[in-house]
Amino acid sequence: MSIDDIATKVSKWFQDSGQSCEIIISSRIRLARNLSNHLFTTHCSNREKEIIVSKLREAILKTSIGSISEYVDISSASQLQKELLIERHLISTHLCKGQGPRAAIISKDEVFTAMLNEEDHLRMQAILPGLQLKECWELINRIDTEIEKQVSFAFDQHLGYLTACPTNVGTGIRVSLMLHLPALKMTNQIEKLLNATKEMKLAVRGLFGEGTDALGDFFQISNQITLGIKEEQIIEKLAENLIPKIVEYELVARDHLLKHQNNLLEDKVYRAKGILENARLISSKEALFLLSNLRLGINLGKIKDVAISTINELFMLTQPAHLQKNAGMSLSPSERDELRAKIIRNKLNMRKP
Amino acid sequence: MSIDDIATKVSKWFQDSGQSCEIIISSRIRLARNLSNHLFTTHCSNREKEIIVSKLREAILKTSIGSISEYVDISSASQLQKELLIERHLISTHLCKGQGPRAAIISKDEVFTAMLNEEDHLRMQAILPGLQLKECWELINRIDTEIEKQVSFAFDQHLGYLTACPTNVGTGIRVSLMLHLPALKMTNQIEKLLNATKEMKLAVRGLFGEGTDALGDFFQISNQITLGIKEEQIIEKLAENLIPKIVEYELVARDHLLKHQNNLLEDKVYRAKGILENARLISSKEALFLLSNLRLGINLGKIKDVAISTINELFMLTQPAHLQKNAGMSLSPSERDELRAKIIRNKLNMRKP
């Protein structure tokens, strides 16, 4: 993988496989770690940041994932490169907006990412399509162990791993799933879901995590508690209890729509198709909404001549940075809207005789 | 013609012929007359209204248009029949909502209508497609003369024809044109047009005349002044001066859009096409907007596989009363939206291989 190559492809985590993949887009686990004997990133000098990056880079590249990973110096990366990685959910805006030495190490299949000098010295994530929390955990836990053999992490016997923000102290784990819940949205049950998840100590966020709105019926659901509970327990509770319940709610809502509001459902789905196939200007926000509706239509068997893989490709490749990277030039918002509409239109009309 | 037959056909006045028909949908002239020696309709007893209807019916059916016209007793007509005639712009809601004996006489080609006991004893209209004010005037003036040979109209040497509302006194003429002005709307110049027409003593109304909004970029423009000016002068001023100016403004605006905002224009047009071809529920208001955009696309050469006659047919036949009349049953609003979408979809997709 090279940053310059990825923009034409769909990330592995967005390729609709794994359990319940018609509702669960992806599973993600991240761990927050800090080197002992160093100040937290916020209090570091650039010199100290450089040492942290250097130590972690060396350690990570020596792990079993190191040989298939690429090191990206974020402090020298272009704005477009950074936005591309954000759009692929590989790095955070926090890392991009930071100051001084900071980097990312990304495996070629994009399943594993390590961010160096983000809020914590090290933030690692494993991301896979569908419900694959255990697989994510196996991977990230293995790499974490391999790294810990080489460096010393800040750890307290009583508290566990120490982190820059107290909400991450303990396991430093954040388990999150990206869910596609259009039927709960259409049947006005999202509020109910939000209340339920709050009671279950889960956080619900938008497509790009903290501080972003839920766009196009996509929701990120993650654990809030990192302290006083084992990683495996958090994962098991989510994977075997809470998430299957939400999936079940969505399935019931879809069934209800099919039985009692089929017209409304078909109108939504076919309108989306009609606009996507015909519009000449589409904003990224509108694309997300319309592709979300089309995805629902495919999953409910209403649309048979469009593949989910086509939808995923359009979702990913029509994002602003992807568009510009693949066009090989900087584009104004209206030029992007035009190109986005053209790509979507051509792709969807391609399947026609 | 029988009321029961017309619902499947497009009125002659809506068939895109005549001068400037890509912008001027129709030309219409109406005359207001009252029988002398009778109270105005508002002050009549039902007995007197009956006499008025009877006198006028006899006189009109004896004119040269009488033999190809049908008498419709509005006081005994069903709600659906009345709505059907309103949707075809043949009678007014005022006539339908009235009390006591009242009627309409409608020529088989729907070009001529007489309403008996509307606001005035007699309101006649001639309506033709495109800019055909002179043709309308020739027809209605001839019939008016033929009627006046048989009955005596309330007439004052100084004021002219007397009418129930003083705004019609004098000639009793209202000359109006229905214009399709999507480019002026898109380029935010409608306000400017409204101000200009006000100065020219013209009134601008919506699709169904007084008190209705302009829907889907359709505007009715008519003279305000009926007193102290000859009918021919009013018509000539409109036909040769004012209306061609408005048509010119619209053409300039269309040209501007083609040259400078082609993307925005195509987006509007193709989106409309995409939605009309795919939606499963369309309200009559939305249909009007979308068909209006599609009409613009056809007139600008963007859409080549849909005929204007198809648009006109869909405009007319998907109106609520038309839908129900042709379905042979009463339909709820949501059933109508469903049927409307189906008719539009089938018609637009028919042309495909």
Side-chain angles (χ1 to χ4, degrees), chain B residues 1-3 6 56-73 90 104-116 124-125 139 142-143 146-147:
Chain B
M1 181 204 70
S2 154
I3 285 189
I6 58 172
L56 286 171
R57 174 184 185 166
E58 206 189 317
I60 294 167
L61 291 180
K62 274 188 192 156
T63 65
S64 54
I65 210 147
S67 62
I68 53 157
S69 295
E70 186 176 347
Y71 176 84
V72 184
D73 181 356
L90 298 175
I105 295 172
I106 302 167
S107 71
K108 284 180 186 167
D109 59 5
E110 300 177 53
V111 168
F112 174 84
T113 312
M115 292 190 286
L116 315 185
M124 295 179 280
Q125 77 170 21
L139 172 65
R142 173 164 58 88
I143 306 301
E146 291 180 37
I147 298 171

mmCIF file of all heavy atoms in Angstrom, chain B residues 1-3 6 56-73 90 104-116 124-125 139 142-143 146-147:
data_model
loop_
_atom_site.group_PDB
_atom_site.id
_atom_site.type_symbol
_atom_site.label_atom_id
_atom_site.label_comp_id
_atom_site.label_asym_id
_atom_site.label_seq_id
_atom_site.Cartn_x
_atom_site.Cartn_y
_atom_site.Cartn_z
ATOM 1 N N MET B 1 -69.461 15.869 -26.665
ATOM 2 C CA MET B 1 -68.841 15.830 -25.335
ATOM 3 C C MET B 1 -69.877 15.497 -24.262
ATOM 4 O O MET B 1 -70.994 15.971 -24.286
ATOM 5 C CB MET B 1 -68.251 17.198 -24.995
ATOM 6 C CG MET B 1 -67.556 17.216 -23.629
ATOM 7 S SD MET B 1 -67.467 18.884 -22.893
ATOM 8 C CE MET B 1 -69.184 19.175 -22.478
ATOM 9 N N SER B 2 -69.452 14.688 -23.360
ATOM 10 C CA SER B 2 -70.234 14.490 -22.160
ATOM 11 C C SER B 2 -69.246 14.588 -21.010
ATOM 12 O O SER B 2 -68.080 14.208 -21.155
ATOM 13 C CB SER B 2 -70.892 13.118 -22.181
ATOM 14 O OG SER B 2 -71.123 12.686 -20.863
ATOM 15 N N ILE B 3 -69.683 15.121 -19.891
ATOM 16 C CA ILE B 3 -68.773 15.278 -18.749
ATOM 17 C C ILE B 3 -68.061 13.964 -18.453
ATOM 18 O O ILE B 3 -66.922 13.939 -18.058
ATOM 19 C CB ILE B 3 -69.559 15.737 -17.506
ATOM 20 C CG1 ILE B 3 -69.905 17.221 -17.656
ATOM 21 C CG2 ILE B 3 -68.745 15.534 -16.258
ATOM 22 C CD1 ILE B 3 -70.484 17.823 -16.414
ATOM 23 N N ILE B 6 -64.856 13.525 -20.889
ATOM 24 C CA ILE B 6 -63.721 14.444 -21.023
ATOM 25 C C ILE B 6 -62.520 14.060 -20.168
ATOM 26 O O ILE B 6 -61.396 14.401 -20.515
ATOM 27 C CB ILE B 6 -64.113 15.904 -20.714
ATOM 28 C CG1 ILE B 6 -64.696 16.028 -19.296
ATOM 29 C CG2 ILE B 6 -65.075 16.450 -21.753
ATOM 30 C CD1 ILE B 6 -64.905 17.486 -18.881
ATOM 31 N N LEU B 56 -81.046 32.506 -20.295
ATOM 32 C CA LEU B 56 -79.700 32.479 -20.872
ATOM 33 C C LEU B 56 -79.435 31.151 -21.585
ATOM 34 O O LEU B 56 -78.825 31.102 -22.645
ATOM 35 C CB LEU B 56 -78.643 32.736 -19.785
ATOM 36 C CG LEU B 56 -78.567 34.189 -19.315
ATOM 37 C CD1 LEU B 56 -77.663 34.326 -18.085
ATOM 38 C CD2 LEU B 56 -78.055 35.099 -20.444
ATOM 39 N N ARG B 57 -79.911 30.067 -20.984
ATOM 40 C CA ARG B 57 -79.738 28.747 -21.595
ATOM 41 C C ARG B 57 -80.329 28.725 -23.001
ATOM 42 O O ARG B 57 -79.677 28.328 -23.963
ATOM 43 C CB ARG B 57 -80.422 27.694 -20.715
ATOM 44 C CG ARG B 57 -80.419 26.319 -21.338
ATOM 45 C CD ARG B 57 -81.192 25.302 -20.506
ATOM 46 N NE ARG B 57 -81.053 23.986 -21.113
ATOM 47 C CZ ARG B 57 -81.375 22.854 -20.515
ATOM 48 N NH1 ARG B 57 -81.847 22.859 -19.282
ATOM 49 N NH2 ARG B 57 -81.221 21.710 -21.136
ATOM 50 N N GLU B 58 -81.562 29.215 -23.065
ATOM 51 C CA GLU B 58 -82.255 29.230 -24.353
ATOM 52 C C GLU B 58 -81.484 30.073 -25.374
ATOM 53 O O GLU B 58 -81.268 29.651 -26.512
ATOM 54 C CB GLU B 58 -83.653 29.807 -24.147
ATOM 55 C CG GLU B 58 -84.655 29.330 -25.180
ATOM 56 C CD GLU B 58 -85.983 30.101 -25.068
ATOM 57 O OE1 GLU B 58 -86.444 30.319 -23.926
ATOM 58 O OE2 GLU B 58 -86.521 30.497 -26.122
ATOM 59 N N ALA B 59 -81.056 31.255 -24.928
ATOM 60 C CA ALA B 59 -80.356 32.161 -25.848
ATOM 61 C C ALA B 59 -79.028 31.575 -26.323
ATOM 62 O O ALA B 59 -78.701 31.604 -27.511
ATOM 63 C CB ALA B 59 -80.115 33.500 -25.149
ATOM 64 N N ILE B 60 -78.251 30.996 -25.384
ATOM 65 C CA ILE B 60 -76.911 30.491 -25.740
ATOM 66 C C ILE B 60 -77.018 29.265 -26.645
ATOM 67 O O ILE B 60 -76.279 29.128 -27.617
ATOM 68 C CB ILE B 60 -76.085 30.176 -24.472
ATOM 69 C CG1 ILE B 60 -75.793 31.482 -23.713
ATOM 70 C CG2 ILE B 60 -74.780 29.468 -24.828
ATOM 71 C CD1 ILE B 60 -75.270 31.298 -22.303
ATOM 72 N N LEU B 61 -77.972 28.398 -26.329
ATOM 73 C CA LEU B 61 -78.082 27.179 -27.137
ATOM 74 C C LEU B 61 -78.539 27.493 -28.567
ATOM 75 O O LEU B 61 -78.367 26.691 -29.474
ATOM 76 C CB LEU B 61 -78.994 26.153 -26.462
ATOM 77 C CG LEU B 61 -78.402 25.543 -25.177
ATOM 78 C CD1 LEU B 61 -79.355 24.529 -24.544
ATOM 79 C CD2 LEU B 61 -77.032 24.888 -25.416
ATOM 80 N N LYS B 62 -79.109 28.694 -28.750
ATOM 81 C CA LYS B 62 -79.510 29.099 -30.103
ATOM 82 C C LYS B 62 -78.372 29.753 -30.893
ATOM 83 O O LYS B 62 -78.518 30.014 -32.088
ATOM 84 C CB LYS B 62 -80.678 30.101 -30.017
ATOM 85 C CG LYS B 62 -82.038 29.424 -29.924
ATOM 86 C CD LYS B 62 -83.140 30.464 -30.041
ATOM 87 C CE LYS B 62 -84.490 29.868 -29.650
ATOM 88 N NZ LYS B 62 -85.425 30.917 -29.197
ATOM 89 N N THR B 63 -77.241 30.050 -30.232
ATOM 90 C CA THR B 63 -76.131 30.692 -30.958
ATOM 91 C C THR B 63 -75.424 29.655 -31.829
ATOM 92 O O THR B 63 -75.721 28.458 -31.746
ATOM 93 C CB THR B 63 -75.074 31.281 -29.992
ATOM 94 O OG1 THR B 63 -74.473 30.190 -29.281
ATOM 95 C CG2 THR B 63 -75.694 32.255 -29.017
ATOM 96 N N SER B 64 -74.464 30.148 -32.627
ATOM 97 C CA SER B 64 -73.732 29.252 -33.537
ATOM 98 C C SER B 64 -72.921 28.200 -32.792
ATOM 99 O O SER B 64 -72.540 27.183 -33.349
ATOM 100 C CB SER B 64 -72.815 30.068 -34.440
ATOM 101 O OG SER B 64 -71.976 30.885 -33.639
ATOM 102 N N ILE B 65 -72.646 28.441 -31.470
ATOM 103 C CA ILE B 65 -71.872 27.449 -30.707
ATOM 104 C C ILE B 65 -72.785 26.491 -29.937
ATOM 105 O O ILE B 65 -72.356 25.453 -29.428
ATOM 106 C CB ILE B 65 -70.863 28.161 -29.759
ATOM 107 C CG1 ILE B 65 -69.628 27.261 -29.570
ATOM 108 C CG2 ILE B 65 -71.487 28.500 -28.405
ATOM 109 C CD1 ILE B 65 -68.360 28.009 -29.392
ATOM 110 N N GLY B 66 -74.081 26.859 -29.889
ATOM 111 C CA GLY B 66 -75.052 26.102 -29.099
ATOM 112 C C GLY B 66 -75.149 24.636 -29.468
ATOM 113 O O GLY B 66 -75.199 23.760 -28.594
ATOM 114 N N SER B 67 -75.119 24.369 -30.773
ATOM 115 C CA SER B 67 -75.346 22.990 -31.225
ATOM 116 C C SER B 67 -74.180 22.066 -30.875
ATOM 117 O O SER B 67 -74.335 20.855 -30.842
ATOM 118 C CB SER B 67 -75.562 22.975 -32.737
ATOM 119 O OG SER B 67 -74.384 23.460 -33.363
ATOM 120 N N ILE B 68 -72.977 22.650 -30.640
ATOM 121 C CA ILE B 68 -71.846 21.792 -30.270
ATOM 122 C C ILE B 68 -71.488 21.973 -28.792
ATOM 123 O O ILE B 68 -70.360 21.745 -28.373
ATOM 124 C CB ILE B 68 -70.601 22.065 -31.153
ATOM 125 C CG1 ILE B 68 -70.261 23.569 -31.147
ATOM 126 C CG2 ILE B 68 -70.824 21.608 -32.595
ATOM 127 C CD1 ILE B 68 -68.805 23.868 -31.503
ATOM 128 N N SER B 69 -72.504 22.393 -28.026
ATOM 129 C CA SER B 69 -72.246 22.621 -26.598
ATOM 130 C C SER B 69 -73.138 21.745 -25.727
ATOM 131 O O SER B 69 -74.176 21.251 -26.170
ATOM 132 C CB SER B 69 -72.487 24.095 -26.251
ATOM 133 O OG SER B 69 -71.542 24.909 -26.915
ATOM 134 N N GLU B 70 -72.716 21.574 -24.492
ATOM 135 C CA GLU B 70 -73.502 20.770 -23.559
ATOM 136 C C GLU B 70 -73.893 21.607 -22.351
ATOM 137 O O GLU B 70 -73.086 22.382 -21.822
ATOM 138 C CB GLU B 70 -72.697 19.553 -23.110
ATOM 139 C CG GLU B 70 -73.532 18.604 -22.235
ATOM 140 C CD GLU B 70 -72.777 17.332 -21.865
ATOM 141 O OE1 GLU B 70 -71.733 17.079 -22.467
ATOM 142 O OE2 GLU B 70 -73.249 16.603 -20.973
ATOM 143 N N TYR B 71 -75.107 21.440 -21.927
ATOM 144 C CA TYR B 71 -75.613 22.143 -20.740
ATOM 145 C C TYR B 71 -75.361 21.281 -19.511
ATOM 146 O O TYR B 71 -75.691 20.095 -19.492
ATOM 147 C CB TYR B 71 -77.110 22.398 -20.909
ATOM 148 C CG TYR B 71 -77.759 23.025 -19.701
ATOM 149 C CD1 TYR B 71 -77.728 24.414 -19.508
ATOM 150 C CD2 TYR B 71 -78.411 22.239 -18.754
ATOM 151 C CE1 TYR B 71 -78.317 24.991 -18.396
ATOM 152 C CE2 TYR B 71 -79.004 22.807 -17.634
ATOM 153 C CZ TYR B 71 -78.951 24.189 -17.459
ATOM 154 O OH TYR B 71 -79.534 24.751 -16.361
ATOM 155 N N VAL B 72 -74.752 21.877 -18.498
ATOM 156 C CA VAL B 72 -74.469 21.136 -17.265
ATOM 157 C C VAL B 72 -75.137 21.853 -16.095
ATOM 158 O O VAL B 72 -74.822 23.013 -15.792
ATOM 159 C CB VAL B 72 -72.946 21.057 -16.999
ATOM 160 C CG1 VAL B 72 -72.671 20.206 -15.763
ATOM 161 C CG2 VAL B 72 -72.210 20.509 -18.216
ATOM 162 N N ASP B 73 -76.070 21.170 -15.453
ATOM 163 C CA ASP B 73 -76.750 21.741 -14.290
ATOM 164 C C ASP B 73 -75.823 21.617 -13.080
ATOM 165 O O ASP B 73 -75.662 20.536 -12.517
ATOM 166 C CB ASP B 73 -78.060 20.980 -14.054
ATOM 167 C CG ASP B 73 -78.821 21.556 -12.860
ATOM 168 O OD1 ASP B 73 -78.285 22.479 -12.198
ATOM 169 O OD2 ASP B 73 -79.938 21.074 -12.591
ATOM 170 N N LEU B 90 -62.670 25.102 -16.785
ATOM 171 C CA LEU B 90 -63.894 25.401 -17.521
ATOM 172 C C LEU B 90 -64.891 26.167 -16.670
ATOM 173 O O LEU B 90 -65.661 26.964 -17.180
ATOM 174 C CB LEU B 90 -64.523 24.104 -18.039
ATOM 175 C CG LEU B 90 -63.621 23.322 -19.020
ATOM 176 C CD1 LEU B 90 -64.258 21.997 -19.398
ATOM 177 C CD2 LEU B 90 -63.324 24.155 -20.265
ATOM 178 N N ALA B 104 -73.643 25.572 -16.320
ATOM 179 C CA ALA B 104 -72.559 25.882 -17.252
ATOM 180 C C ALA B 104 -72.942 25.343 -18.616
ATOM 181 O O ALA B 104 -73.636 24.324 -18.717
ATOM 182 C CB ALA B 104 -71.255 25.265 -16.773
ATOM 183 N N ILE B 105 -72.531 26.048 -19.656
ATOM 184 C CA ILE B 105 -72.703 25.550 -21.023
ATOM 185 C C ILE B 105 -71.307 25.495 -21.630
ATOM 186 O O ILE B 105 -70.592 26.509 -21.644
ATOM 187 C CB ILE B 105 -73.633 26.466 -21.832
ATOM 188 C CG1 ILE B 105 -75.049 26.408 -21.203
ATOM 189 C CG2 ILE B 105 -73.685 26.039 -23.302
ATOM 190 C CD1 ILE B 105 -76.017 27.423 -21.782
ATOM 191 N N ILE B 106 -70.917 24.297 -22.028
ATOM 192 C CA ILE B 106 -69.518 24.090 -22.440
ATOM 193 C C ILE B 106 -69.481 23.508 -23.849
ATOM 194 O O ILE B 106 -70.153 22.507 -24.132
ATOM 195 C CB ILE B 106 -68.824 23.122 -21.451
ATOM 196 C CG1 ILE B 106 -68.895 23.704 -20.018
ATOM 197 C CG2 ILE B 106 -67.380 22.867 -21.856
ATOM 198 C CD1 ILE B 106 -68.536 22.708 -18.928
ATOM 199 N N SER B 107 -68.698 24.127 -24.733
ATOM 200 C CA SER B 107 -68.599 23.595 -26.102
ATOM 201 C C SER B 107 -67.782 22.303 -26.077
ATOM 202 O O SER B 107 -66.934 22.113 -25.206
ATOM 203 C CB SER B 107 -67.943 24.617 -27.026
ATOM 204 O OG SER B 107 -66.576 24.749 -26.723
ATOM 205 N N LYS B 108 -68.073 21.424 -27.036
ATOM 206 C CA LYS B 108 -67.430 20.109 -27.026
ATOM 207 C C LYS B 108 -65.911 20.176 -27.064
ATOM 208 O O LYS B 108 -65.230 19.326 -26.514
ATOM 209 C CB LYS B 108 -67.949 19.274 -28.209
ATOM 210 C CG LYS B 108 -69.346 18.746 -27.946
ATOM 211 C CD LYS B 108 -69.878 17.914 -29.094
ATOM 212 C CE LYS B 108 -71.339 17.558 -28.802
ATOM 213 N NZ LYS B 108 -72.035 17.023 -29.968
ATOM 214 N N ASP B 109 -65.388 21.190 -27.741
ATOM 215 C CA ASP B 109 -63.923 21.319 -27.783
ATOM 216 C C ASP B 109 -63.387 22.087 -26.576
ATOM 217 O O ASP B 109 -62.185 22.345 -26.489
ATOM 218 C CB ASP B 109 -63.478 21.978 -29.094
ATOM 219 C CG ASP B 109 -64.091 23.372 -29.273
ATOM 220 O OD1 ASP B 109 -64.773 23.866 -28.345
ATOM 221 O OD2 ASP B 109 -63.887 23.962 -30.352
ATOM 222 N N GLU B 110 -64.299 22.461 -25.650
ATOM 223 C CA GLU B 110 -63.936 23.152 -24.404
ATOM 224 C C GLU B 110 -63.358 24.551 -24.627
ATOM 225 O O GLU B 110 -62.852 25.159 -23.691
ATOM 226 C CB GLU B 110 -62.964 22.308 -23.555
ATOM 227 C CG GLU B 110 -63.557 20.966 -23.159
ATOM 228 C CD GLU B 110 -62.564 20.092 -22.388
ATOM 229 O OE1 GLU B 110 -62.010 20.573 -21.384
ATOM 230 O OE2 GLU B 110 -62.366 18.922 -22.778
ATOM 231 N N VAL B 111 -63.465 25.057 -25.830
ATOM 232 C CA VAL B 111 -62.938 26.388 -26.111
ATOM 233 C C VAL B 111 -63.870 27.465 -25.542
ATOM 234 O O VAL B 111 -63.425 28.495 -25.058
ATOM 235 C CB VAL B 111 -62.745 26.585 -27.636
ATOM 236 C CG1 VAL B 111 -62.482 28.038 -27.991
ATOM 237 C CG2 VAL B 111 -61.595 25.695 -28.120
ATOM 238 N N PHE B 112 -65.156 27.198 -25.568
ATOM 239 C CA PHE B 112 -66.140 28.164 -25.066
ATOM 240 C C PHE B 112 -66.879 27.620 -23.845
ATOM 241 O O PHE B 112 -67.300 26.464 -23.819
ATOM 242 C CB PHE B 112 -67.162 28.488 -26.169
ATOM 243 C CG PHE B 112 -68.297 29.359 -25.696
ATOM 244 C CD1 PHE B 112 -68.147 30.745 -25.654
ATOM 245 C CD2 PHE B 112 -69.502 28.799 -25.267
ATOM 246 C CE1 PHE B 112 -69.193 31.555 -25.195
ATOM 247 C CE2 PHE B 112 -70.544 29.607 -24.807
ATOM 248 C CZ PHE B 112 -70.388 30.993 -24.774
ATOM 249 N N THR B 113 -66.974 28.447 -22.809
ATOM 250 C CA THR B 113 -67.794 28.101 -21.645
ATOM 251 C C THR B 113 -68.632 29.303 -21.238
ATOM 252 O O THR B 113 -68.138 30.436 -21.253
ATOM 253 C CB THR B 113 -66.935 27.764 -20.400
ATOM 254 O OG1 THR B 113 -65.925 26.863 -20.764
ATOM 255 C CG2 THR B 113 -67.792 27.160 -19.300
ATOM 256 N N ALA B 114 -69.862 29.043 -20.879
ATOM 257 C CA ALA B 114 -70.687 30.082 -20.263
ATOM 258 C C ALA B 114 -71.076 29.595 -18.874
ATOM 259 O O ALA B 114 -71.495 28.454 -18.719
ATOM 260 C CB ALA B 114 -71.931 30.328 -21.102
ATOM 261 N N MET B 115 -70.858 30.442 -17.867
ATOM 262 C CA MET B 115 -71.327 30.106 -16.526
ATOM 263 C C MET B 115 -72.561 30.959 -16.239
ATOM 264 O O MET B 115 -72.519 32.182 -16.422
ATOM 265 C CB MET B 115 -70.241 30.389 -15.487
ATOM 266 C CG MET B 115 -69.032 29.463 -15.610
ATOM 267 S SD MET B 115 -67.904 29.627 -14.208
ATOM 268 C CE MET B 115 -67.145 31.199 -14.574
ATOM 269 N N LEU B 116 -73.631 30.324 -15.795
ATOM 270 C CA LEU B 116 -74.874 31.037 -15.517
ATOM 271 C C LEU B 116 -75.064 31.143 -13.998
ATOM 272 O O LEU B 116 -74.974 30.142 -13.291
ATOM 273 C CB LEU B 116 -76.055 30.289 -16.156
ATOM 274 C CG LEU B 116 -75.849 29.807 -17.604
ATOM 275 C CD1 LEU B 116 -77.140 29.194 -18.159
ATOM 276 C CD2 LEU B 116 -75.372 30.941 -18.503
ATOM 277 N N MET B 124 -68.839 34.387 -19.707
ATOM 278 C CA MET B 124 -68.433 33.536 -20.828
ATOM 279 C C MET B 124 -66.928 33.571 -20.943
ATOM 280 O O MET B 124 -66.312 34.613 -20.704
ATOM 281 C CB MET B 124 -68.989 34.112 -22.136
ATOM 282 C CG MET B 124 -70.481 34.106 -22.217
ATOM 283 S SD MET B 124 -70.996 34.841 -23.781
ATOM 284 C CE MET B 124 -70.859 36.593 -23.418
ATOM 285 N N GLN B 125 -66.324 32.461 -21.328
ATOM 286 C CA GLN B 125 -64.892 32.503 -21.620
ATOM 287 C C GLN B 125 -64.595 31.775 -22.924
ATOM 288 O O GLN B 125 -65.292 30.828 -23.318
ATOM 289 C CB GLN B 125 -64.041 31.902 -20.489
ATOM 290 C CG GLN B 125 -64.035 30.381 -20.433
ATOM 291 C CD GLN B 125 -62.981 29.816 -19.460
ATOM 292 O OE1 GLN B 125 -62.520 30.509 -18.561
ATOM 293 N NE2 GLN B 125 -62.618 28.564 -19.638
ATOM 294 N N LEU B 139 -64.114 34.912 -31.342
ATOM 295 C CA LEU B 139 -65.113 33.914 -30.954
ATOM 296 C C LEU B 139 -66.094 34.472 -29.921
ATOM 297 O O LEU B 139 -67.317 34.441 -30.112
ATOM 298 C CB LEU B 139 -64.426 32.661 -30.389
ATOM 299 C CG LEU B 139 -65.365 31.624 -29.767
ATOM 300 C CD1 LEU B 139 -66.292 31.018 -30.824
ATOM 301 C CD2 LEU B 139 -64.578 30.518 -29.064
ATOM 302 N N ARG B 142 -68.337 37.326 -31.085
ATOM 303 C CA ARG B 142 -69.395 36.836 -31.972
ATOM 304 C C ARG B 142 -70.545 36.221 -31.158
ATOM 305 O O ARG B 142 -71.715 36.556 -31.353
ATOM 306 C CB ARG B 142 -68.798 35.790 -32.929
ATOM 307 C CG ARG B 142 -69.805 35.065 -33.812
ATOM 308 C CD ARG B 142 -69.129 34.354 -34.981
ATOM 309 N NE ARG B 142 -68.126 33.368 -34.566
ATOM 310 C CZ ARG B 142 -68.387 32.091 -34.289
ATOM 311 N NH1 ARG B 142 -69.628 31.637 -34.340
ATOM 312 N NH2 ARG B 142 -67.424 31.255 -33.952
ATOM 313 N N ILE B 143 -70.179 35.365 -30.195
ATOM 314 C CA ILE B 143 -71.223 34.713 -29.393
ATOM 315 C C ILE B 143 -71.974 35.752 -28.556
ATOM 316 O O ILE B 143 -73.203 35.719 -28.433
ATOM 317 C CB ILE B 143 -70.616 33.626 -28.466
ATOM 318 C CG1 ILE B 143 -69.784 32.625 -29.275
ATOM 319 C CG2 ILE B 143 -71.722 32.897 -27.685
ATOM 320 C CD1 ILE B 143 -70.525 31.887 -30.364
ATOM 321 N N GLU B 146 -74.401 37.439 -30.710
ATOM 322 C CA GLU B 146 -75.522 36.538 -31.001
ATOM 323 C C GLU B 146 -76.485 36.435 -29.813
ATOM 324 O O GLU B 146 -77.698 36.386 -29.981
ATOM 325 C CB GLU B 146 -75.007 35.140 -31.378
ATOM 326 C CG GLU B 146 -74.275 35.094 -32.731
ATOM 327 C CD GLU B 146 -73.791 33.682 -33.072
ATOM 328 O OE1 GLU B 146 -74.508 32.696 -32.751
ATOM 329 O OE2 GLU B 146 -72.689 33.544 -33.635
ATOM 330 N N ILE B 147 -75.913 36.392 -28.596
ATOM 331 C CA ILE B 147 -76.771 36.310 -27.407
ATOM 332 C C ILE B 147 -77.552 37.613 -27.243
ATOM 333 O O ILE B 147 -78.750 37.611 -26.954
ATOM 334 C CB ILE B 147 -75.936 36.025 -26.134
ATOM 335 C CG1 ILE B 147 -75.226 34.670 -26.251
ATOM 336 C CG2 ILE B 147 -76.840 36.028 -24.880
ATOM 337 C CD1 ILE B 147 -74.208 34.406 -25.154
#
